[in-house]
Amino acid sequence: MTPVPETGPAAAAPDDVLAVRNLGVTVGGRKLVEDVDFTIRAGERVGLIGESGSGKSLTALSVMGLLPEGLRASGSVRLAGVDHDLVGADEARMSRVRGKEIAMVFQEPMTALNPTMRVGRQIAEVLLIHRTRPDRASARAAAVELLAQVGLPDPEAAAHAYPHQFSGGQRQRVVLAIALANDPALLVCDEPTTALDVTVQARVLDLVVRGVQERRSAMLFITHDLAVVATVCERVMVMYGGRLVESGPVQEVFTRPRHRYTQGLIGASDLTVVDDRGRLATIPGSVPAAGRFPAGCVFRNRCEHATDGCATRPDWVPTGPDSGYACFHPAPDGAPGTGTPTNQEAGRG
Amino acid sequence: MAEQPTSTPLAPGPGTGPVDAISVRDVTRVYRRPRTSLRHASPPVHALRGVSFAIPQGQRFGIVGESGCGKSTLLRILAGLDRPTGGSVAIDGRDITGLRERQLKFVRERLQLVFQDPMSSLDPRMRVGDIVAEPLAAQRQGNRRERVAELLEAVGLRADAADRYPHQFSGGQRQRISIARALAPRPKIIVADEPVSALDVSVRAQVLNLIADLVDELSLTLVFVSHDLSVVRHVCDRVAVMHAGQIVETGSTEQVYEDPQHSYTRRLIAAVPTLGKALSGVSAADLNRE
Amino acid sequence: MSAAATETAVASAGPAGRRRRRPVTGSLLVGGLIVAIVIGMALLSFVWTPHDPTLVNPAVRLQEPSAEYWFGTDKFGRDVFSQVLMGSRTTLFVGFVAVGVAALVGVPLGIVAGMAPRWCGELLMRGNDLLLAFPALLLAIMFAAVYGAGTLVAMVAIGIASIPHFARLIRGGTLQVMETEYVIAARAAGRGPFAIAVRHVLPNVSSLVIVQASVGFAIAVLAEAALSFLGFGTPPPTPSWGRMLQESQELLSIAPRLAVFPGVAIALAVLGFNLLGDGLRDRFDPKLEDRR
């Protein structure tokens, strides 16, 4: 999250891969995402955390130009090496960008693959569409190589198999191979391991990180799982009620959160810390449905620190080049992470 | 956390103290798969291969395992909704294997289920009041309206929730409705299948607290199934780790978590990302190491 | 419990509690309107028609449409508009009888087949498939041969022939509902199979029933027209859109309007019932609403 540069959206720094400015998503007058601003630089791994209805997936889909029908994006999304804005770009232009400059890994690997096509051909196809390989034979060979890179045993045989012949984790690796095929500048992952078992998740996360590191690709990683983001990313943005409420380096945000929502989220997700009655720290209330968050500060109806002043919208308070928060009553700087004792001991297992 | 002997006797002999809430002895379950070839029958699926454990009254017992390990099959058998191919299951000392539906009435009264998906576990076409009252109606108990109001209050919902439909509630609220329904017939055993896996992080802790409070206040026996070791560690006294239809390790949760004996348990614990581990520098490659 | 209750007092005040109004979709509106018109015509025909639709008057044979005869007259000098009005009764009667027979037998059969042990359900469905393979019109013609041609006989036959369509669809829906956790919860609560069928399965397959009923209605209307056309349906002099079509056939070259009016009426009625079915399904399916 960088403050909006004076020069406007067109002027992205040379190192910036993705520049999102003032992004909004609406459906029939309801605002689902509002004023989202952030920048991702080459090789950076950035996490976007949010619960249901936070707008995190819509943000990813807007970047990909894949919003479902009826939803409208506004603002600006610029990608390095693409001479037009991705918001409002037509399908023909977007399809030249997707799979080449940006690629995406979805939560459900089965629906992301064509069940009637051998996976080798599906990978080769992405290479041929974007003309990154001259002919069928070299695309095929590259496909097998990619399957080997994502750790599938016997990649030759795997290339000949159909999606249903793989397990969930293996399918997700195939999806990852397709996403990485054209060495994208940006890889967008939307909850890629949520549907997977813990041991399989570890495997896939490892492959994702290695894949982007080897290509110096940037990554936008969307999830509801704080621990996964902390493991995979260097920087994190916290989204709630369709807005970014806090962002900064992982170490900083998770140990010294400033926004009361981030603070509460960290407290509520820590299952190793209980009060003297054996109870976990909680955030009161429930997450409102998308588009039905309170005006002003979106978190104020669940926040113990909220005052009448929170009915107006808090400004973004920058605390560094990529960090800041939007809260009238932030947790004091340097205070331990949560209301409960420090979460550092979470690792004692 | 009570001291637990490392090996609990499967069933108490006559006159050896209170009867176990649940005792499972050498249970197997084999499924036949439909033929896919004319020449050979498909090999059968061994969902459970000789599972044994006993849960004393009032214990919070966790079952941990990944998808396909047999935990769902085990739950159905415990609840008398499926029959084991071999072995026996006793609820409050009474063998339920081979009983007919009519003879399972005592299980229906004593044991209730809470499910993972708070949407699909509530009939979308029924009002919340009718959903919560369903076990009461099924068991022909009176005073349903009062009891429903009491139950909704107990799980932290307003009484007027009874007149609304499930889709009008958030995930956490729906899970509370599901818990209220399970408590309706005043069961002594609650079997919860991944009850918080589908919930938002900020709501998960509320529901875990609610379950813990209710188990305490009503002195329930809790069977808590999860793929998430850290949730089980918080909730349960004892844990059984399942893998490929077998229990590979059991013990007190502390003991299993701190000093896992089986290689699968070790791999499982190592693979779980936690905030603490991540902040102290554990990378994705480290999670995948074991 | 008190602690849990206070902690979440806020929770129940959440905005998810508000009841969302379901928008009336275009298909519901248009379908409802067309069906209302057909029903209105049928009701009107009981109290008023411009002329007696069965009155043969050779003096006014094959008149062009005029102020006196809005849709003109046929080769016997009968008023076409009055016949179309009266024919709507036959159409509705036909639809309700055929769909009624099919649904009353097919829905319970489908639910039983879906809830019964696997082998038993399979057996029922194989029997169902046999019936499915039998052409509906052939069955209706056989019935007409045995019991005499008549609207009721023809439509009972069409209804019987539609039973397997209902049964197969409802069995599929039932199998899905039986897999859901709310049914497992109901079983664990001690609900018997009958209560589960009535309280859980039936309401949750009702949208399938509505859609199939609207399709069945349309099929029945077309089948009646076809049977009347062949001479096995509604016997004269009762007006029927299908028979009007048949009678217009020999005059197609000189008076095509005789085919156009009943033809358009049939097409519109079929369209109307299909649209209404679609609209009703969308409106009464809470799951569809959730996706918005």
Side-chain angles (χ1 to χ4, degrees), chain A residues 51-52 197-199 201-203 205-206 209 224 226-228 230-231 250-251 254-255 265-266 268-269 271 274 278-287 302 343-344 346-349, chain B residues 65-67 170 173 199-206 208-209 213 227 230-231 233-234 254 257-258 264 267-269 271-280 282-285 287-288:
Chain A
E51 298 183 283
S52 56
D197 278 325
V198 194
T199 48
Q201 160 172 288
R203 187 90 216 249
L205 289 180
D206 184 22
V209 172
H224 67 282
L226 281 67
V228 168
T231 305
V250 162
Q251 200 74 24
F254 287 141
T255 52
L265 198 60
I266 295 169
S269 65
L271 300 180
V274 289
R279 301 169 58 83
L280 300 162
T282 59
I283 301 178
S286 49
V287 186
R302 301 178 69 191
N343 56 303
Q344 292 286 35
R348 72 184 145 120
Chain B
E66 299 186 288
S67 57
S170 70
Q173 291 169 329
L199 301 182
D200 279 320
V201 180
S202 76
V203 178
R204 182 181 67 177
Q206 287 176 7
L208 286 175
N209 281 345
D213 287 350
H227 69 282
S230 46
V231 171
R233 186 191 194 190
H234 167 72
E254 277 320 294
Y257 210 92
E258 299 291 349
Y264 175 73
R267 200 165 85 224
L268 205 58
I269 293 173
V272 178
T274 70
L275 210 45
K277 278 202 269 186
L279 294 177
S280 56
V282 171
S283 71
L287 296 183
N288 188 28

Side-chain angles (χ1 to χ4, degrees), chain A residues 111-169:
Chain A
T111 51
L113 295 170
N114 181 346
T116 62
M117 209 195 254
R118 296 182 199 276
V119 303
R121 244 191 88 197
Q122 297 193 47
I123 302 175
E125 193 150 90
V126 194
L127 296 165
L128 291 169
I129 289 171
H130 295 285
R131 306 220 170 77
T132 32
R133 291 292 185 287
D135 55 79
R136 237 158 230 294
S138 65
R140 260 210 63 83
V144 174
E145 167 59 21
L146 279 160
L147 286 171
Q149 280 179 28
V150 294
L152 284 176
D154 197 356
E156 272 294 345
H160 271 286
Y162 288 95
H164 72 264
Q165 294 172 287
F166 294 96
S167 69

Side-chain angles (χ1 to χ4, degrees), chain A residues 1-332:
Chain A
M1 180 93 199
T2 27
V4 184
E6 307 279 289
T7 37
D15 206 20
D16 292 355
V17 170
L18 180 74
V20 174
R21 296 287 172 267
N22 217 1
L23 179 71
V25 177
T26 52
V27 57
R30 257 202 282 169
K31 285 181 178 166
L32 302 181
V33 172
E34 212 183 336
D35 289 336
V36 167
D37 264 43
F38 63 89
T39 305
I40 300 180
R41 286 176 213 88
E44 232 185 348
R45 297 192 304 277
V46 180
L48 182 57
I49 300 190
E51 298 183 283
S52 56
S54 65
K56 60 183 190 302
S57 289
L58 290 180
T59 302
L61 292 174
S62 318
V63 168
M64 296 296 296
L66 290 174
L67 279 181
E69 235 181 86
L71 273 66
R72 284 180 51 85
S74 59
S76 149
V77 174
R78 301 298 303 236
L79 194 69
V82 177
D83 58 2
H84 59 86
D85 202 310
L86 302 192
V87 171
D90 57 36
E91 191 54 31
R93 286 171 124 186
M94 278 315 290
S95 61
R96 280 196 288 274
V97 178
R98 284 197 293 258
K100 187 150 187 271
E101 272 87 15
I102 341 177
M104 188 158 178
V105 178
F106 296 89
Q107 178 175 345
E108 192 38 73
M110 194 61 210
T111 51
L113 295 170
N114 181 346
T116 62
M117 209 195 254
R118 296 182 199 276
V119 303
R121 244 191 88 197
Q122 297 193 47
I123 302 175
E125 193 150 90
V126 194
L127 296 165
L128 291 169
I129 289 171
H130 295 285
R131 306 220 170 77
T132 32
R133 291 292 185 287
D135 55 79
R136 237 158 230 294
S138 65
R140 260 210 63 83
V144 174
E145 167 59 21
L146 279 160
L147 286 171
Q149 280 179 28
V150 294
L152 284 176
D154 197 356
E156 272 294 345
H160 271 286
Y162 288 95
H164 72 264
Q165 294 172 287
F166 294 96
S167 69
Q170 288 173 328
R171 261 178 236 147
Q172 196 60 298
R173 289 194 238 168
V174 173
V175 174
L176 181 66
I178 293 176
L180 294 174
N182 287 321
D183 303 335
L186 176 69
L187 179 71
V188 179
C189 300
D190 188 3
E191 305 259 15
T193 58
T194 307
L196 304 178
D197 278 325
V198 194
T199 48
V200 182
Q201 160 172 288
R203 187 90 216 249
V204 172
L205 289 180
D206 184 22
L207 288 166
V208 167
V209 172
R210 265 197 273 161
V212 292
Q213 275 177 340
E214 279 160 13
R215 291 166 175 80
R216 251 186 80 68
S217 302
M219 174 164 80
L220 178 61
F221 194 100
I222 287 136
T223 180
H224 67 282
D225 191 327
L226 281 67
V228 168
V229 162
T231 305
V232 167
C233 299
E234 306 145 319
R235 196 144 67 77
V236 61
M237 307 184 288
V238 183
M239 211 166 168
Y240 184 78
R243 294 194 207 142
L244 290 183
V245 295
E246 177 157 13
S247 74
V250 162
Q251 200 74 24
E252 207 175 295
V253 171
F254 287 141
T255 52
R256 294 185 302 279
R258 303 302 304 277
H259 199 284
R260 295 295 179 178
Y261 170 66
T262 319
Q263 189 188 26
L265 198 60
I266 295 169
S269 65
D270 191 343
L271 300 180
T272 59
V273 178
V274 289
D275 66 9
D276 45 357
R277 294 182 44 227
R279 301 169 58 83
L280 300 162
T282 59
I283 301 178
S286 49
V287 186
R292 300 194 185 276
F293 288 82
C297 174
V298 278
F299 186 55
R300 73 188 160 98
N301 62 339
R302 301 178 69 191
C303 181
E304 285 161 7
H305 302 269
T307 56
D308 291 346
C310 298
T312 52
R313 203 174 142 179
D315 283 328
W316 184 259
V317 183
T319 53
D322 285 316
S323 49
Y325 59 88
C327 179
F328 287 117
H329 310 286

